[in-house]
Amino acid sequence: MIEFSNWDILRNLLIATQWTVLLSLAAFIGGTAVALGLTAMRLTRNPVMVRLVKLYIELFQGTPLLMQMFLCFFGLSMIGYEISAWGAAILSLTLFTSAFLVEIWRGCIDTLPKGQWEASRVLGLNFLQTLRHVILPQATKVAFAPTVGFSVQVVKGTALASVIGFVELTKAGTMLNNATFESFKVFAFVALIYFALCYPLSLCSKYLEKKYHVAR
Amino acid sequence: MLNFSDLLPYTDVFFGGLMTTIELTLLTTVLGVVLGTTCAAVRQYGHPASQRAVAAYVELIRNTPFIVQLFFIFFGLPSIGLMLSPWQASVIALTINLGAYSTEIIRAGLNNIPKGQWEAAKVLGMDFRQTLTRVVFTPAFEKIYPALTSQCIIVMLGSAVLSQISVQDLTYAANLVQSRNFRAFESYVVTALMYLGLAMLMRYVFAMIGKRVFAFREAQ
């Protein structure tokens, strides 16, 4: 039987952590892009668009992320689209992330007083100009802290990719657990690595919240 | 292509899973909110050392994935001699998880109570416990009730992960069915919709309870 030292366990976990980081980044970037599109759809105030975005949010916030992953991975390949675990994980995390980001950003845009829109209108700015020069500069400041805060949820969400067999930190943990039988140690390491990834983000979010709260 | 009628023979499997999910959610929502309320009170008014302990607990849970917490409790604790059944491990993991999140939420509510309320209660001769239970808690909870509702729903959705330690919940049922009839897409779609329905139901029930509990406000 092969002996595993603490360093062997930690080293293998850290290698897998790279995939967790990569998956988080991909999901966060993808989610941001989709959320931007959805936010634009919502801002058009077209009733059909607004309802579609609402349905999207309801659908992806109201179902478990794990179920979304199963649907992307097993479901899509069942109806004829072959997809890798990596692809399914990115796809489902992107959908999940965007549904939450749209909702967060909606709150940020809605906190701006209605007078801002009206004043811009009076000044002769059109819709896009109002967005570009008045609304977005203010809304992005408010949105910064909760967006960074949500990135913690994205990192934690990547742990579910282990269930569909993508080897990231959690999957590496279960594999090492099966090889070493040192469950306590392995999962404590896994938890600590996640903590090391997420806690700085949490702190950053808290800091940003304070900073922009004072400025307003 | 799609064929949902293959799911019909498995209705009772889905129903059993649904019941397990509901049962676990009910139990852990109550336990989690009680734990969260206690921790929030300690975090806000307790001894500095216990305040720090609660803060550490909250940060540790909020910054690690639920599935890792679950694996740590279910696989990790037995290796130091604490054997747990899947059901026990699930209840503990869900409660601890909801407890940490609700601590932060409820604390925000407690923070929101104006100091004058405490001072007025003191003038009226109420002690700490009386002030907390009769003056502070209701408006504090009213303020954060929507956030607490959302968090409980998130924890319910998160419980899908419990299938990984072979708790026979709704997700477990979905996996079982699709491994029997090879109708993965149909099985997962139906299950996802059941979760969606459950989330909506929870929102409705919470709103109903909220209406009852906070009714005195509307009379004003």
Side-chain angles (χ1 to χ4, degrees):
Chain A
M1 194 178 135
I2 311 165
E3 285 295 321
F4 284 85
S5 69
N6 284 347
W7 171 240
D8 287 329
I9 294 175
L10 195 59
R11 191 171 46 110
N12 282 303
L13 287 177
L14 286 174
I15 292 170
T17 306
Q18 296 172 346
W19 288 102
T20 291
V21 173
L22 207 61
L23 188 56
S24 308
L25 282 176
F28 193 72
I29 292 168
T32 306
V34 176
L36 278 176
L38 290 170
T39 304
M41 274 171 73
R42 224 185 55 82
L43 280 172
T44 58
R45 298 221 171 79
N46 176 328
V48 180
M49 296 274 204
V50 173
R51 187 146 327 149
L52 273 179
V53 175
K54 229 180 193 169
L55 186 72
Y56 182 91
I57 293 172
E58 185 75 27
L59 221 56
F60 288 103
Q61 288 198 1
T63 54
L65 176 57
L66 187 62
M67 219 21 87
Q68 296 165 22
M69 264 185 203
F70 280 161
L71 268 173
C72 286
F73 188 55
F74 300 111
L76 281 185
S77 50
M78 273 290 171
I79 57 170
Y81 300 96
E82 277 305 324
I83 191 165
S84 64
W86 163 247
I90 289 186
L91 180 62
S92 52
L93 280 165
T94 296
L95 297 172
F96 169 82
T97 307
S98 62
F100 278 88
L101 284 181
V102 175
E103 189 75 342
I104 290 170
W105 294 346
R106 183 181 75 106
C108 297
I109 291 171
D110 287 353
T111 50
L112 299 180
K114 224 180 154 195
Q116 299 271 339
W117 288 93
E118 293 164 354
S120 311
R121 188 102 186 251
V122 170
L123 290 172
L125 298 178
N126 66 24
F127 176 74
L128 279 181
Q129 286 171 325
T130 310
L131 261 189
R132 160 87 182 75
H133 296 289
V134 182
I135 302 299
L136 288 185
Q138 301 182 76
T140 40
K141 264 187 194 166
V142 187
F144 227 55
T147 305
V148 174
F150 184 73
S151 67
V152 175
Q153 309 294 329
V154 179
V155 177
K156 291 192 295 179
T158 62
L160 293 185
S162 63
V163 178
I164 56 171
F166 180 69
V167 184
E168 38 65 76
L169 183 49
T170 306
K171 182 73 187 174
T174 48
M175 286 158 78
L176 279 168
N177 176 36
N178 293 340
T180 63
F181 302 111
E182 296 194 85
S183 322
F184 189 86
K185 200 191 287 170
V186 170
F187 286 115
F189 274 149
V190 172
L192 282 178
I193 295 174
Y194 273 111
F195 187 79
L197 288 176
C198 294
Y199 192 55
L201 288 172
S202 296
L203 285 182
C204 180
S205 160
K206 227 176 241 173
Y207 166 77
L208 288 169
E209 202 172 302
K210 265 190 195 137
K211 188 175 163 190
Y212 288 121
H213 225 72
V214 176
R216 269 204 303 149
Chain B
M1 271 297 277
L2 291 183
N3 183 357
F4 284 93
S5 59
D6 280 354
L7 298 179
L8 284 176
Y10 299 98
T11 316
D12 49 342
V13 177
F14 279 117
F15 185 75
L18 186 66
M19 280 302 133
T20 306
T21 295
I22 291 177
E23 209 174 312
L24 271 168
T25 303
L26 269 179
L27 181 63
T28 52
T29 299
V30 174
L31 290 177
V33 172
V34 169
L35 178 66
T37 309
T38 315
C39 287
V42 171
R43 179 87 173 82
Q44 191 76 350
Y45 313 113
H47 184 271
S50 45
Q51 279 189 13
R52 265 198 296 277
V54 170
Y57 154 63
V58 169
E59 291 303 333
L60 199 63
I61 297 298
R62 290 197 345 146
N63 288 297
T64 50
F66 176 65
I67 190 171
V68 175
Q69 294 160 17
L70 184 69
F71 283 174
F72 183 78
I73 290 171
F74 186 64
F75 297 119
L77 292 186
S79 68
I80 56 164
L82 193 59
M83 278 298 226
L84 294 166
S85 73
W87 177 271
Q88 290 167 331
S90 303
V91 171
I92 293 172
L94 285 170
T95 302
I96 286 178
N97 191 270
L98 180 59
Y101 281 93
S102 58
T103 298
E104 271 306 275
I105 295 172
I106 294 166
R107 194 167 76 97
L110 293 177
N111 246 332
N112 218 290
I113 302 301
K115 229 181 162 183
Q117 300 266 337
W118 282 95
E119 291 164 355
K122 196 161 191 184
V123 169
L124 290 172
M126 290 179 154
D127 63 19
F128 175 77
R129 185 161 306 205
Q130 287 172 325
T131 312
L132 205 57
T133 53
R134 297 189 189 179
V135 179
V136 172
F137 268 158
T138 316
F141 268 96
E142 189 184 15
K143 192 94 186 163
I144 51 90
Y145 197 65
L148 195 61
T149 304
S150 300
Q151 192 57 49
C152 292
I153 292 174
I154 289 175
V155 171
M156 183 275 286
L157 295 176
S159 76
V161 171
L162 302 178
S163 57
Q164 293 306 305
I165 59 165
S166 73
V167 171
Q168 302 186 352
D169 72 337
L170 191 48
T171 307
Y172 184 91
N175 281 328
L176 186 73
V177 170
Q178 72 96 14
S179 69
R180 293 258 178 89
N181 66 6
F182 305 110
R183 290 278 171 201
F185 193 78
E186 292 87 337
S187 171
Y188 291 135
V189 164
V190 167
T191 310
L193 288 178
M194 283 162 98
Y195 274 110
L196 188 62
L198 213 52
M200 286 170 164
L201 181 72
M202 269 179 90
R203 206 166 278 285
Y204 177 77
V205 170
F206 266 83
M208 284 297 122
I209 296 172
K211 242 184 195 163
R212 271 282 167 84
V213 174
F214 306 121
F216 76 101
R217 297 245 136 187
E218 277 159 31
Q220 286 175 352

